[in-house]
Amino acid sequence: MSTVITGASGHLGRLVVDQLLAAGTPPAQIVATGRDVAKLTDLAQDGVTVRRADFADPSTLDEAFAGADAMVLVSTTTVGQRFDNHRNAIDAARRAGVSRIVYTSIVNASTAKMTLADEHRRTEDYLRASGSAFTILRNGWYLENYTDQLPMITQYHALLGSAHDGLVSAASRRDYAAAAAAVLTQDEHLGATYELGGTPFTLTELAATISDVLGTHIAYQDMPVADYTATLTAAGLPPEMAAAVADADAGLARGELFTESDDLVKLIGRPATTAHEAVQKAAATIEESR
């Protein structure tokens, strides 16, 4: 029986594959899919089945999912097209006889008002109504959303946002990937919806953490959502993505990226990565690359 991992050419999907391999899943039982299979060459060399799957091109999905027993449906990143893409994947999985689907949603999807939550909520509803067995992993914010900005934060000695003093329960992509692997390799999670997140912090606290790790003062600069959107656009983000990121910060300010749930720790069997650990690792990586 094989498991399809969608988006394996991206960050989270690839980490799910890595976690399954590390847990002892035979490579021949893993099907890694993505739009760009050239990025999956090393997995193919290790014995993992590699197939092209483009959610926007449903004709690619039947072959990609053929013979699979389970699927990790990693949510796509195209703003405004997520639901249609996810619906195509769920429909194709049913046609292929996939018996269970693990979907990576967003924390508090049923109540959050942020733009990003809407398409996740619609996907969850569609998945529940599809008749497929499912597990929903409502992933919190990625720590990498912040640590990837470290060079710019360091350059300007500022962390920008519109989060006010809201708490964000962030964890690393590896933590969320470990949760997906755990759900796939254990039997008691069918029908469950998990709220996943790590130790919460405010962006002011994150700026203090960055300051501590780097040994230089970093300030958190809170901005109106419109100003933050304009700043992100000027920095090179596509307008739709800039608007979504700023809107997510507004959601953060409302508490929509915070969870008190310990589901993540229970699933992975260890503490989630902390902001301090993530910043230390990112800073060391930057230093090694110089």
Side-chain angles (χ1 to χ4, degrees):
M1 308 299 281
S2 62
T3 297
V4 168
I5 311 299
T6 73
S9 54
H11 294 295
L12 182 60
R14 175 55 184 258
L15 286 171
V16 175
V17 174
D18 290 344
Q19 291 287 335
L20 288 173
L21 292 171
T25 302
Q29 293 182 11
I30 300 173
V31 180
T33 72
R35 285 180 296 179
D36 186 358
V37 294
K39 295 180 179 179
L40 304 174
T41 302
D42 60 325
L43 289 177
Q45 292 172 343
D46 290 338
V48 173
T49 300
V50 170
R51 297 174 182 166
R52 181 175 179 271
D54 182 349
F55 290 178
D57 182 2
S59 66
T60 67
L61 301 181
D62 290 340
E63 182 177 350
F65 300 163
D69 176 60
M71 179 174 77
V72 177
L73 174 53
V74 176
S75 55
T76 64
T77 58
T78 308
V79 177
Q81 300 178 30
R82 283 188 179 92
F83 175 68
D84 289 340
N85 289 340
H86 298 161
R87 179 176 56 191
N88 289 341
I90 292 167
D91 289 347
R94 290 196 68 196
R95 291 194 300 270
V98 174
S99 63
R100 58 175 172 152
I101 298 173
V102 177
Y103 173 60
T104 64
S105 185
I106 193 170
V107 69
N108 300 316
S110 58
T111 57
K113 296 179 175 62
M114 68 178 73
T115 302
L116 289 175
D118 179 65
E119 290 184 295
H120 285 294
R121 183 165 49 248
R122 293 170 64 197
T123 300
E124 288 188 12
D125 291 344
Y126 191 81
L127 178 57
R128 291 189 179 97
S130 71
S132 299
F134 67 87
T135 305
I136 294 172
L137 300 178
R138 289 179 170 173
N139 291 349
W141 223 225
Y142 299 149
L143 285 167
E144 290 86 352
N145 290 345
Y146 301 114
T147 58
D148 286 352
Q149 300 178 47
L150 209 52
M152 185 173 65
I153 292 170
T154 305
Q155 180 181 352
Y156 294 102
H157 291 272
L159 171 65
L160 307 181
S162 298
H164 303 328
D165 58 354
L167 287 166
V168 55
S169 301
S172 71
R173 286 192 183 101
R174 188 171 298 278
D175 294 334
Y176 297 124
V183 164
L184 281 170
T185 54
Q186 301 166 8
D187 296 328
E188 64 267 28
H189 305 292
L190 290 181
T193 297
Y194 295 114
E195 301 283 356
L196 305 184
T199 303
F201 54 85
T202 67
L203 294 196
T204 298
E205 290 170 338
L206 177 60
T209 295
I210 297 171
S211 299
D212 179 55
V213 172
L214 300 183
T216 185
H217 179 64
I218 303 295
Y220 172 56
Q221 182 177 340
D222 200 73
M223 312 171 69
V225 171
D227 291 350
Y228 188 35
T229 302
T231 299
L232 292 170
T233 303
L237 274 187
E240 299 85 356
M241 182 60 71
V245 170
D247 178 73
D249 251 29
L252 198 168
R254 295 189 296 266
E256 294 173 7
L257 290 174
F258 168 75
T259 179
E260 293 180 330
S261 169
D262 61 355
D263 287 345
L264 180 59
V265 171
K266 288 180 177 178
L267 286 175
I268 65 180
R270 58 170 174 78
T273 305
T274 65
H276 193 275
E277 291 167 338
V279 173
Q280 278 188 318
K281 180 179 178 181
T285 300
I286 291 170
E287 188 62 32
E288 290 171 3
S289 66
R290 288 176 177 170

